[in-house]
Amino acid sequence: MSDKKASNQMWGGRFASGPAAIMEAINASIGFDRKLYAQDISGSIAHSEMLAETGIISAADQEKIAHGLNTILKEIEAGTFEFSTRLEDIHMNVEARLADLIGPAAGRLHTARSRNDQVAVDLRLWVKRECQRVAQALKDLIAAFLERAEEHAATVMPGFTHMQAAQPVTFGHHCMAYVEMFGRDLSRVRDAIERMDESPLGAAALAGTSFSIDRHMTAKALGFREPTRNSLDSVSDRDFALEFLSLAAICATHLSRLAEEIIIWSTPQFGFIRLSDSFSTGSSIMPQKKNPDAAELVRGKTGRVNGHLVGLLTVMKGMPLTYGKDMQEDKEAVFDAAET
Ligand code: ARG
């Protein structure tokens, strides 16, 4: 990271000095929000096209802006983009580089926009894409369980309550219970996508803008069903992130119960299943052991995902409308939960 500028070049004009080093460190989100680069750039391109279409900026400026943004996209993807902590976040890093590349036309991109609606649109796009990926992963998982259920439609096993052998069931029947659980997870993902499918772009800082922008145009260009309705809500809503974390936590909890069964069933005392070598570990001094590490990690990582949900709920619970910097804390929770 380079530290080229003395004070923040985006808003520091009336500040005599730059931020203290410790302030810069706590304030910067570029270390993690660079993950949003693709969404940030497509959001900016859509916004610039709308500004040109409505006559707010010239077509020539829009062309320069779009060309510059595409160059930046390539630089980031090639790993040659120089991120700076002094420029706080992905939005200002991209904007500053755009000014280097195309000069004064870059400044016109931020007309009728604020980082508040910008970050809201970026994160929504990211979470929506992630939800679509999770939906596909759940479909694959359900298909795998259906296959197993069919194979074991007549494989008798004990059914348990209180972990006491209760009544005979089949393993197929047991697998179908997971088909139901992951089926509900899938319906929760679809439901969440449906609700988050609104574009907050145009809410600007909080109260909209006096420029006559076309919010339907940017919503459509970015693949949203429609624009959001209330500008204050648009910049302060993080329900979509909370919903993602809740559905992730419920799904992880289901996976954790499965992991727990795998762990119990693979003990010599139960002996229901034998784990494959590729998903277990051993011990040099206790050669009789085959440790179910993969299942234990699934069970363990559930704590981490559930923790992110409680973490973001706690960040949001005390926040008055509208935006506050607290909300910058939404990203790492969402990113880590998605990756986990
Ligand atoms: N990095 C900020 C975040 O993630 C972007 C929005 C900043 N807005 C502001 N008014 N300071 O929340």
Side-chain angles (χ1 to χ4, degrees):
M1 298 224 178
S2 80
D3 275 348
K4 291 185 280 202
K5 283 106 190 167
S7 78
N8 189 298
Q9 74 173 72
M10 311 309 285
W11 49 255
R14 71 203 146 82
F15 281 57
S17 73
I22 195 172
M23 172 59 189
E24 193 173 290
I26 195 180
N27 199 32
S29 53
I30 187 62
F32 48 87
D33 70 10
R34 58 173 76 184
K35 259 201 168 65
L36 297 173
Y37 73 91
Q39 290 73 21
D40 195 67
I41 289 171
S42 33
S44 288
I45 292 176
H47 182 67
S48 73
E49 282 167 351
M50 181 280 290
L51 291 176
E53 191 65 28
T54 50
I56 298 167
I57 65 171
S58 72
D61 280 346
Q62 194 279 322
E63 239 169 74
K64 279 190 213 157
I65 289 169
H67 186 262
L69 289 170
N70 282 317
T71 305
I72 294 170
L73 182 66
K74 284 190 207 116
E75 289 177 348
I76 296 177
E77 280 173 351
T80 58
F81 188 94
E82 215 182 299
F83 290 103
S84 151
T85 18
R86 191 147 277 168
L87 291 164
E88 281 184 44
D89 55 25
I90 185 65
H91 323 294
M92 296 206 288
N93 270 269
V94 169
E95 207 175 315
R97 177 69 184 134
L98 188 63
D100 288 347
L101 288 170
I102 68 164
R108 299 195 185 107
L109 169 62
H110 215 50
T111 313
R113 190 177 70 169
S114 152
R115 271 191 293 155
N116 295 352
D117 59 343
Q118 190 176 356
V119 72
V121 81
D122 291 3
L123 192 61
R124 264 186 203 242
L125 286 169
W126 197 92
V127 173
K128 196 179 136 189
R129 192 202 59 190
E130 218 41 42
C131 282
Q132 285 156 345
R133 189 182 63 80
V134 169
Q136 189 51 55
L138 279 166
K139 280 191 232 165
D140 295 345
L141 183 59
I142 290 167
F145 267 104
L146 282 170
E147 217 171 282
R148 281 283 188 232
E150 195 127 23
E151 227 175 277
H152 292 281
T155 309
V156 179
M157 68 174 271
F160 297 89
T161 63
H162 310 269
M163 262 208 70
Q164 301 284 316
Q167 289 179 329
V169 296
T170 66
F171 184 56
H173 193 172
H174 198 95
C175 286
M176 289 306 288
Y178 283 99
V179 169
E180 294 299 318
M181 291 149 86
F182 295 125
R184 286 192 298 275
D185 290 338
L186 179 57
S187 97
R188 266 183 284 274
V189 181
R190 289 180 172 148
D191 211 40
I193 293 175
E194 192 63 18
R195 236 184 325 275
M196 72 179 70
D197 207 8
E198 299 177 346
S199 171
L201 206 57
L206 75 164
T209 169
S210 50
F211 285 99
S212 51
I213 56 170
D214 184 347
R215 298 190 59 220
H216 291 271
M217 189 182 162
T218 44
K220 190 164 173 240
L222 294 170
F224 288 109
R225 187 183 58 238
E226 59 190 337
T228 51
R229 286 160 299 278
N230 183 289
S231 69
L232 305 179
D233 178 55
S234 300
V235 294
S236 72
D237 166 40
R238 290 295 181 272
D239 289 10
F240 64 94
L242 288 172
E243 284 198 58
F244 173 69
L245 292 174
S246 338
L247 68 87
I250 296 173
C251 181
T253 300
H254 287 157
L255 288 166
S256 186
R257 296 180 74 175
L258 171 66
E260 173 69 1
E261 295 198 316
I262 290 172
I263 292 160
I264 294 168
W265 292 347
S266 69
T267 58
Q269 288 72 21
F270 263 80
F272 284 13
I273 55 172
R274 217 175 25 250
L275 293 175
S276 84
D277 291 353
S278 38
F279 289 98
S280 33
T281 64
S283 156
S284 55
I285 58 161
M286 298 169 284
Q288 79 284 8
K289 286 172 88 239
K290 197 163 191 189
N291 300 327
D293 290 33
E296 287 171 325
L297 284 165
V298 169
R299 186 177 60 181
K301 283 176 191 293
T302 300
R304 181 166 168 165
V305 175
N306 293 359
H308 287 314
L309 169 62
V310 176
L312 187 58
L313 281 169
T314 310
V315 167
M316 295 306 295
K317 70 175 266 299
M319 287 207 56
L321 304 190
T322 56
Y323 178 84
K325 204 54 169 282
D326 320 41
M327 283 155 75
Q328 185 162 281
E329 293 292 315
D330 56 5
K331 286 165 212 66
E332 286 162 295
V334 165
F335 294 160
D336 187 71
E339 197 170 321
T340 306

